[in-house]
Amino acid sequence: MTNFHRRARIGAGIALFTTAALGLTACATGAETPAAGSDDVDAAAATSVEDFGSFADLEEAAKAEGQLNVIALPRDWANYGEILDLFAEKYPEITINEASPDVSSAEEIQAAKTNEGLDTAPDVFDLGLTVALQNTDTFAPYQVQTWDEIPDALKEPTGLFVGDYGGYMSIGYDSSKFDAPESLYDLKDAAYKGAVAINGDPTQAGAAFAAVGLATVQSDGTLDDFQPGIDFFSELQKAGNLLKVDVTTATVASGETPVVFDWDYLNASHTADNEDWKVVVLDGTGYAGYYNQAINKDAPNPAAARLWQEFLYSDEVQNLWLKGGARPARMEAMTEAGTIDADLAAALPEVPSETVVPTEEQSTNAGTLLGEKWAAAVQ
């Protein structure tokens, strides 16, 4: 059984994130959208279902393309496997091409640039906030039918990118080898020699970025300056406790990464492969965050890309995020409407009473600082 150390439960699971308002300036696409229902709809310029005429028209346009290129979607990440399989079952006319499931957010953007103009380019992205903010010129604006039920704090105003599922930064550990860490500083102890890993490079991967954010606020710092978090991991490196191995389900199952900073829903999933795996969200200030969906402005299958977005923000898939232990973006609205899976919602673990989420400015500044300081701090 996963062991969570939390102080308060958040009912709807979304209200705390309203402090993370994006406040981005609306961007004009410069493209003219054909009249709704016309035969010559330019899917690449469509900003909503209305531009296709109806949802059925969008479905038909996507089926005519017959392909959907996704990237960086591990099947054991927040229930993506079941979500991908449901789309394939619902739309057998559309072949899902799953590329490079374990790459970082930054590598998703690089793949789009490398494959620009090719039919192998990704149609859609799943990104950490910092990378999303840095690459808005890569995205096409689109507002799904459930747009009004997504909190303003989780969406760029024109729909260039939109938060979809989230959770809390946590520490997972093999309880057969280690006691539960009660504070960040326990991890500096010699007992954790060569044992502590983070999920990726914080200059590229959202989960690793959040690990530094958590270390910052747990070190009495603020999200205005990630230096305390960088210093913590530098000290962990000097103590010989930082393990530079990319975390995967396989490394956890094999014991190669016995202590892991990662999102709570990802850490919790490892109990399926290691019955001794437990998860802690430290007392004190918690760090929360969402992953964002975006459409490649040069998507080779633009209608399928937009159908995928509609699918992800449907009631059915929002509940599948919840089944994966993550908190869906529409959770509050669905709770009010009675469409949330109440049993899954009730099973969510307790979380810290004080939680922080980086704003646009804080994320941008932290990304710049990490780019300047991280490599030298942990070499």
Side-chain angles (χ1 to χ4, degrees), residues 49 52-63 145:
V49 160
F52 290 91
S54 68
F55 183 68
D57 292 326
L58 168 58
E59 291 180 308
E60 287 307 309
K63 291 175 184 177
Q145 295 177 96

Side-chain angles (χ1 to χ4, degrees), residues 39-329:
D39 293 332
D40 58 348
V41 172
D42 181 1
T47 59
S48 70
V49 160
E50 285 73 20
D51 292 333
F52 290 91
S54 68
F55 183 68
D57 292 326
L58 168 58
E59 291 180 308
E60 287 307 309
K63 291 175 184 177
E65 290 174 348
Q67 304 284 323
L68 174 68
N69 299 340
V70 301
I71 187 171
L73 305 185
R75 286 181 157 266
D76 56 358
W77 178 290
N79 207 23
Y80 253 124
E82 188 170 355
I83 290 168
L84 288 162
D85 290 344
L86 178 62
F87 187 87
E89 178 184 343
K90 192 176 184 69
Y91 300 108
E93 306 89 345
I94 302 173
T95 299
I96 304 176
N97 304 306
E98 300 177 46
S100 307
D102 295 320
V103 299
S104 67
S105 294
E107 288 170 321
E108 292 181 58
I109 301 300
Q110 186 56 52
K113 294 177 180 177
T114 301
N115 293 280
E116 184 176 356
L118 304 177
D119 60 9
T120 53
D123 288 311
V124 290
F125 305 107
D126 179 293
L127 305 161
L129 178 59
T130 302
V131 173
L133 288 166
Q134 293 169 344
N135 293 279
T136 54
D137 60 345
T138 307
F139 311 144
Y142 186 79
Q143 297 183 4
V144 295
Q145 295 177 96
T146 52
W147 175 262
D148 290 342
E149 296 183 1
I150 302 168
D152 290 343
L154 295 183
K155 57 193 181 188
E156 189 278 329
T158 68
L160 286 173
F161 62 88
V162 187
D164 194 7
Y165 61 92
Y168 287 78
M169 185 48 47
S170 67
I171 301 171
Y173 66 100
D174 188 332
S175 64
S176 70
K177 300 176 181 177
F178 303 97
D179 293 329
E182 296 181 1
S183 76
L184 202 66
Y185 299 99
D186 288 350
L187 300 178
K188 295 181 181 180
D189 190 270
Y192 291 90
K193 195 83 168 179
V196 183
I198 59 176
N199 192 351
D201 180 334
T203 66
Q204 300 185 37
F209 177 95
V212 182
L214 175 65
T216 293
V217 297
Q218 286 278 325
S219 300
D220 297 324
T222 72
L223 296 185
D224 292 324
D225 182 6
F226 269 41
Q227 190 62 52
I230 295 172
D231 291 342
F232 168 77
F233 282 106
S234 179
E235 292 165 7
L236 210 62
Q237 166 69 13
K238 291 174 182 175
N241 292 8
L242 186 61
L243 180 60
K244 296 180 181 178
V245 174
D246 288 337
V247 178
T248 65
T249 298
T251 65
V252 171
S254 68
E256 187 178 2
T257 54
V259 181
V260 174
F261 278 88
D262 210 344
W263 297 111
D264 57 350
Y265 52 90
L266 299 183
N267 261 329
S269 70
H270 296 314
T271 58
D273 300 294
N274 182 345
E275 63 181 10
D276 295 316
W277 192 258
K278 298 186 183 299
V279 186
V280 168
V281 172
L282 297 173
D283 286 337
T285 304
Y287 183 106
Y290 272 72
Y291 277 86
N292 300 272
Q293 304 294 342
I295 296 172
N296 183 358
K297 69 177 183 181
D298 298 314
N301 305 291
R306 285 154 176 79
L307 181 61
W308 175 249
Q309 301 302 302
E310 296 287 355
F311 174 74
L312 293 180
Y313 289 93
S314 67
D315 286 356
E316 190 170 20
V317 177
Q318 291 283 290
N319 275 319
L320 288 181
W321 295 128
L322 192 58
K323 185 177 179 181
R327 293 163 173 79

